Amino acid sequence: MSAIFGIFGRRAAPVPCTCLAPMARDLASRAPDGTRVVTDGPVGLGNGQNLTTPEAVKDQQPFRHGPTGCTITADIRLDNRGELLEALGCRPDGPVVSDADLALRAWLKWGRACTEHLLGDFALAIWDPRQRAIFAARDHMGMKPFAYFASDEWFAFGSTPLSVVAAPMAPREIYEPRIGDFLLNSETALEGIDRECTFWAGVKRLPPGHSLLANSDNVELCSYWKPTPLSHAGKKTDGDFEAHFREVFDESVKCRLRTDGAAGIMLSGGLDSGSVATTAASHWVGGWPLKTFSAVRDDA
């Protein structure tokens, strides 16, 4: 995972780079390939880079679209690149287009409906000076994290709640109900008493399958996806369902093998990770072994 962070002065207050520096320091462990920051009047955006795909190596985030001034910072891996390249009129044999660039082009073409066209793992924020607004979105299952703080004067966001409270304008107050929930209800510790609260008062998580638009007037959340039952049309036997599952599972694993370097698989000892490793090995075409890793407790 890479890192994203930023600050938006909702009352046109300029954002100095010094306000972004403590956020960048908190996210340094997620940015082995360096951190870049850009400012544009009332907004400052940062990207802590972890370049893992061939397209990301050529990426320079935050990325700005010259004609409109729209700027994106994203922690992103898109799995439907072929469909997007075609829909956005990009030549497959043309210049390399990064996943973040594709997401920005999707915003320019479809606006808030762009999330309906993105498939993969992503957390992104786009500054659109034409609307004087920040658009942000989190992937369907919430694999990429996104936290934010909003007041009448400021909107700040980051990949972790702790990076958000590192912003000078964010309060550093503990939210005791969330801590109590974490300690008493281990089964719900990952999501807590609701899908938005964090250990910090005033800092929220953007729920999975949601987007938001923050401008001078309000911060509006929108649910763009919810799980729906799959159609059983054409599937009559156990073999039909098995074949469909294998097709989807196979494609999902292949999408996650798009890498610019070595790949590794964490083996837990269960059927899930073992199935992923077996399927990945059958598709792996890298010039080095596909390595697996396991964690063992000292008292095991």
Side-chain angles (χ1 to χ4, degrees):
M1 287 188 177
S2 53
I4 62 174
F5 56 97
I7 298 173
F8 169 39
R10 301 177 66 192
R11 295 293 178 262
V15 177
C17 288
T18 53
C19 290
L20 297 168
M23 305 177 76
R25 285 195 297 269
D26 183 76
L27 294 168
S29 62
R30 300 169 65 100
D33 296 309
T35 298
R36 297 182 72 249
V37 172
V38 299
T39 58
D40 182 13
V43 70
L45 301 177
N47 190 275
Q49 299 178 323
N50 185 9
L51 307 178
T52 59
T53 67
E55 296 80 13
V57 172
K58 301 181 181 297
D59 205 3
Q60 289 292 323
Q61 290 192 63
F63 176 81
R64 183 175 183 272
H65 180 251
T68 63
C70 292
T71 307
I72 186 172
T73 180
D75 177 12
I76 187 169
R77 190 207 71 246
L78 293 176
D79 296 335
N80 62 331
R81 285 180 52 84
E83 297 174 11
L84 281 172
L85 288 169
E86 182 178 356
L88 295 170
C90 303
R91 291 172 47 199
D93 58 346
V96 174
V97 181
S98 70
D99 290 0
D101 191 352
L102 279 176
L104 181 56
R105 296 184 190 209
W107 164 258
L108 295 173
K109 182 178 179 66
W110 295 299
R112 296 192 70 173
C114 67
T115 50
E116 300 174 10
H117 302 269
L118 304 181
L119 181 63
D121 297 344
F122 57 85
L124 59 86
I126 298 173
W127 161 244
D128 192 329
R130 302 169 303 176
Q131 302 183 30
R132 236 189 89 78
I134 290 276
F135 171 78
R138 192 177 177 199
D139 62 75
H140 303 69
M141 302 302 294
M143 298 303 296
K144 301 290 189 179
F146 188 98
Y148 68 96
F149 159 76
S151 68
D152 290 340
E153 301 292 330
W154 301 97
F155 177 84
F157 68 89
S159 292
T160 65
L162 193 58
S163 67
V164 176
V165 298
M169 63 286 300
R172 297 183 65 89
E173 301 176 12
I174 295 296
Y175 185 56
E176 294 184 357
R178 172 69 175 111
I179 294 178
D181 181 77
F182 180 87
L183 295 174
L184 295 175
N185 303 295
S186 59
E187 293 184 357
T188 60
L190 290 177
E191 286 298 335
I193 54 178
D194 59 45
R195 304 173 73 196
E196 297 185 57
C197 72
T198 70
F199 295 126
W200 302 93
V203 178
K204 297 181 178 181
R205 293 171 294 169
L206 183 62
H210 279 67
S211 66
L212 67 77
L213 190 70
N215 55 31
S216 300
D217 299 320
N218 54 39
V219 177
E220 180 185 356
L221 265 67
C222 175
S223 173
Y224 69 83
W225 178 83
K226 292 181 180 179
T228 56
L230 293 175
S231 171
H232 291 174
K235 304 178 186 67
K236 299 179 180 180
T237 67
D238 290 345
D240 293 335
F241 286 98
E242 178 185 347
H244 180 68
F245 171 80
R246 286 179 176 273
E247 179 183 352
V248 174
F249 183 75
D250 192 70
E251 182 64 23
S252 298
V253 173
K254 285 171 61 177
C255 288
R256 286 156 178 80
L257 291 176
R258 180 165 61 97
T259 176
D260 188 57
I265 299 175
M266 185 69 182
L267 288 177
S268 65
L271 292 176
D272 295 349
S273 60
S275 299
V276 170
T278 302
T279 303
S282 67
H283 294 291
W284 179 244
V285 293
W288 40 82
L290 182 61
K291 296 183 178 181
T292 61
F293 302 87
S294 296
V296 180
R297 290 170 44 182
D298 292 338
D299 58 350

